[in-house]
Amino acid sequence: MEFQDAQGAIVRLFNDANAQFHKMPGSAIILRYIKSSYQNDPVRSAIELFLFLFAVRYLLAPTYSTQKNRQVKLTEEEIDELVDDWTPEPLVAEPTAWEKLENEKRPVLVGPTGPKSKLSNGRTVTNLASYNFHNFVANETLKEKAIQTLRTYGVGPCGPPGFYGTQDVHMKTEADVSAHLGTAACIIYAQSFSTVSSVIPSFCKRGDIIVADKAVNFSLRKGIQISRSTVRWFEHNDMEDLERVLQKVTKEQAKKPLTRRFIITEGLFENVGDISDLPKLVELKLKYKFRLILDETWSYGVLGRTGRGLTEAQNVDATEVDMIIGSLSGPLCAAGGFCAGTEEVVEHQRISSASYTYSAALPALLATTASETISMLQEQPEILTGLRENIKAMRAQLDPRSDWVKCTSSVDNPIMLLVLKPEVVAAKNLSPQDQTQLFQDVVDECVANGVLVTRLRAPPQSVRGEQDWQPTPALKVCVTSGLTKKETEKAGITIRHAITKIVTRKK
């Protein structure tokens, strides 16, 4: 009796479940699918049922760690023994004998820099090793403006520009630079070096194409490296080779997805001293549909009638250049850097440029100094005229008169790079290391005779595929308008005699 009752209860339960299932929307479709599947392929139904049950079991199973604890427990004695045996690697390599000797001989300035500087040994020398081209360091008006700004705004903003770091003086400097260059907008950075190395990665990403001059400076190389873009190099200042590379890139990318493509070069080359052919660069970038990034770190404040840089010197509209990068230090005697271009270019950097987003803003007194020096260059053209007269006077004493060196710098470049003539290198069989040592001896000889100069430092290699390009060893003479023409000529004679003495002594 009990068995029959139980059987009846099961039948009723099954019938109730069946009735409820048929009330569900789509139940007929499911039943029809199961019946047809079983009739046509019963193995498939069995596999699906197994997978369904496995999924339910997997979802209901408790979580557990798959990481097994394989750590070996050491005793205190074993730990002490390992610590005693461990020798940390040095953070930097040990200096070479050459570097130690160079550090020992390096002159140390005492007090403010200027055309005449005092060394730690008490001697006063003519300083031709600093970027004080316009002698703004000694300008009393700039000093007063800086002091007033310091008393009003304090030492620093103590915050990134996008987070309480932007002050009205920063906005004024941006407006002054953009108005001077003739661009729609401008953004300023707190550090000159990181300006370039932040602007490039803001626009160039993995998969983009960069075509760069082999002689670009180290900060540009770092920016290119950080961007992780595909890099193609062209021979230094060779527009024919540039066009060849652009043609090759255009052909390679013809059947590939559209990518961003950039030409990167300098206005005034730091490692060579010559200038770019900007009209030709603009022509090629328009012809092959590339964007142009121009680094005017050393040309802004130097080239052109009012110091606007290469665009003014070669009569090119600044709006033809997609991005103009420059420095507020060096010629302008302030600090920081800038990038000028369209509104879109500038606003994009305010949220995507690492140096702008995460670094404290430029101190207000330096922003004011930059604005004042820009104003002085526009209102007092004799500042640039005086500098160029001294450049001519220095070149007259060195390049045509010396039998040993020639100047690779542009005629308006206050940084004169003097390299040994090819016939001198061949006659004396000088390697690059020999030339570097020779110029260091010239530097020491000049200091001994009261003129402070320096030599060109080769940048470290940083970008894969750059084919190990290195600048030619050179003597570096930085001309300043803080000296009279007679003082400049006298310093040039001292340098020429030092070169002659050292080179003739070399067997």
Side-chain angles (χ1 to χ4, degrees):
M1 188 69 179
E2 293 180 356
F3 175 76
Q4 292 178 351
D5 293 340
Q7 187 178 16
I10 293 173
V11 171
R12 286 193 300 273
L13 179 63
F14 177 79
N15 290 334
D16 291 342
N18 187 40
Q20 293 296 327
F21 178 76
H22 279 82
K23 292 180 180 180
M24 293 175 56
S27 58
I29 298 174
I30 296 175
L31 286 174
R32 187 166 58 251
Y33 168 76
I34 294 174
K35 289 179 180 179
S36 62
S37 175
Y38 177 77
Q39 292 173 356
N40 298 331
D41 191 0
V43 177
R44 175 183 173 185
S45 298
I47 294 174
E48 289 180 349
L49 178 61
F50 172 76
L51 292 175
F52 174 75
L53 295 175
F54 176 79
V56 173
R57 173 68 179 83
Y58 180 79
L59 293 174
L60 297 178
T63 59
Y64 60 92
S65 175
T66 59
Q67 300 293 333
K68 294 184 178 180
N69 187 8
R70 298 181 179 179
Q71 183 177 2
V72 178
K73 292 185 178 181
L74 301 176
T75 63
E76 291 295 329
E77 292 78 8
E78 290 174 328
I79 293 175
D80 293 338
E81 184 179 351
L82 289 174
V83 171
D84 292 337
D85 292 341
W86 179 68
T87 303
E89 295 183 1
L91 295 177
V92 295
E94 287 291 326
T96 62
W98 160 259
E99 291 172 337
K100 290 180 180 179
L101 180 62
E102 186 181 16
N103 290 335
E104 291 174 0
K105 292 183 177 181
R106 180 172 288 122
V108 178
L109 299 182
V110 178
T113 185
K116 299 288 185 179
S117 299
K118 187 176 181 180
L119 301 181
S120 57
N121 59 11
R123 294 187 58 197
T124 299
V125 295
T126 300
N127 189 352
L128 297 178
S130 74
Y131 301 134
N132 182 30
F133 305 136
H134 306 302
N135 198 27
F136 284 146
V137 169
N139 190 287
E140 293 299 327
T141 302
L142 291 177
K143 291 181 182 179
E144 288 298 324
K145 289 282 187 179
I147 292 172
Q148 291 174 11
T149 307
L150 180 63
R151 289 172 176 168
T152 303
Y153 294 90
V155 176
C158 299
F163 191 74
Y164 303 113
T166 299
Q167 298 169 306
D168 56 350
V169 290
H170 297 125
M171 300 174 69
K172 181 180 184 303
T173 302
E174 291 178 348
D176 290 342
V177 174
S178 62
H180 188 207
L181 286 171
T183 59
C186 174
I187 181 173
I188 62 171
Y189 290 77
Q191 300 90 19
S192 177
F193 183 92
S194 61
T195 300
V196 179
S197 57
S198 293
V199 170
I200 295 175
S202 297
F203 296 93
C204 308
K205 308 296 182 183
R206 188 188 298 274
D208 294 337
I209 307 295
I210 292 177
V211 178
D213 192 298
K214 284 185 176 181
V216 293
N217 59 52
F218 184 59
S219 57
L220 279 173
R221 292 174 183 271
K222 291 303 292 183
I224 293 171
Q225 180 187 35
I226 296 170
S227 72
R228 299 179 294 179
S229 300
T230 302
V231 186
R232 298 286 185 268
W233 301 93
F234 66 93
E235 296 298 328
H236 170 58
N237 238 352
D238 188 338
M239 295 298 103
E240 292 183 1
D241 189 57
L242 170 59
E243 185 165 15
R244 179 190 63 80
V245 175
L246 296 180
Q247 288 175 346
K248 184 178 180 181
V249 170
T250 303
K251 185 177 180 180
E252 291 174 351
Q253 298 295 315
K255 297 182 180 180
K256 295 181 180 180
L258 186 63
T259 59
R260 288 167 294 197
R261 298 178 291 186
F262 300 86
I263 300 172
I264 297 180
T265 188
E266 289 184 77
L268 197 59
F269 285 89
E270 178 181 344
N271 295 319
V272 185
D274 54 354
I275 61 176
S276 294
D277 185 353
L278 188 55
K280 186 64 176 179
L281 285 169
V282 171
E283 176 189 335
L284 292 176
K285 77 110 177 178
L286 293 174
K287 180 179 179 180
Y288 294 98
K289 296 180 174 59
F290 275 67
R291 294 180 175 92
L292 177 60
I293 299 178
L294 181 66
D295 181 9
E296 295 224 58
T297 296
W298 300 107
S299 52
Y300 184 69
V302 170
L303 299 182
R305 188 181 64 84
T306 62
R308 281 200 290 119
L310 192 62
T311 54
E312 184 178 35
Q314 297 187 351
N315 196 27
V316 175
D317 191 340
T319 58
E320 296 285 349
V321 182
D322 297 279
M323 279 166 269
I324 298 178
I325 304 171
S327 173
L328 300 177
S329 58
L332 298 188
C333 203
F338 68 85
C339 179
T342 63
E343 291 281 357
E344 293 78 11
V345 164
V346 168
E347 292 306 315
H348 176 74
Q349 295 175 63
R350 296 195 192 278
I351 58 174
S352 64
S353 177
S355 179
Y356 187 86
T357 306
Y358 301 110
S359 297
L362 183 70
L365 68 95
L366 296 174
T368 300
T369 301
S371 292
E372 290 298 321
T373 52
I374 291 172
S375 177
M376 292 172 66
L377 288 175
Q378 296 179 85
E379 297 172 359
Q380 304 175 35
E382 63 272 13
I383 293 176
L384 286 162
T385 303
L387 175 62
R388 287 166 188 161
E389 289 297 325
N390 280 359
I391 294 173
K392 290 179 182 178
M394 180 63 74
R395 290 182 73 99
Q397 296 299 324
L398 295 175
D399 193 355
R401 294 193 178 185
S402 176
D403 296 328
W404 314 105
V405 296
K406 66 175 183 178
C407 182
T408 61
S409 300
S410 169
V411 292
D412 289 333
N413 189 354
I415 303 176
M416 296 180 60
L417 298 180
L418 304 172
V419 301
L420 292 171
K421 293 181 178 180
E423 56 269 26
V424 175
V425 175
K428 295 184 177 292
N429 193 24
L430 298 174
S431 66
Q433 182 62 35
D434 294 333
Q435 297 175 56
T436 300
Q437 179 63 65
L438 186 146
F439 282 125
Q440 184 59 48
D441 293 340
V442 172
V443 170
D444 297 337
E445 180 67 21
C446 288
V447 172
N449 288 279
V451 178
L452 181 61
V453 294
T454 185
R455 60 178 177 83
L456 181 66
R457 260 66 175 181
Q461 299 295 298
S462 63
V463 184
R464 189 174 299 173
E466 61 185 334
Q467 301 178 357
D468 298 327
W469 185 91
Q470 286 288 296
T472 304
L475 191 69
K476 194 172 184 178
V477 180
C478 301
V479 182
T480 175
S481 61
L483 298 173
T484 64
K485 183 178 179 181
K486 186 175 181 180
E487 290 173 327
T488 302
E489 291 174 342
K490 182 179 178 181
I493 294 172
T494 301
I495 296 170
R496 187 176 77 245
H497 289 171
I499 294 172
T500 301
K501 179 179 179 180
I502 298 301
V503 175
T504 53
R505 193 173 64 188
K506 182 72 176 179
K507 301 299 183 182

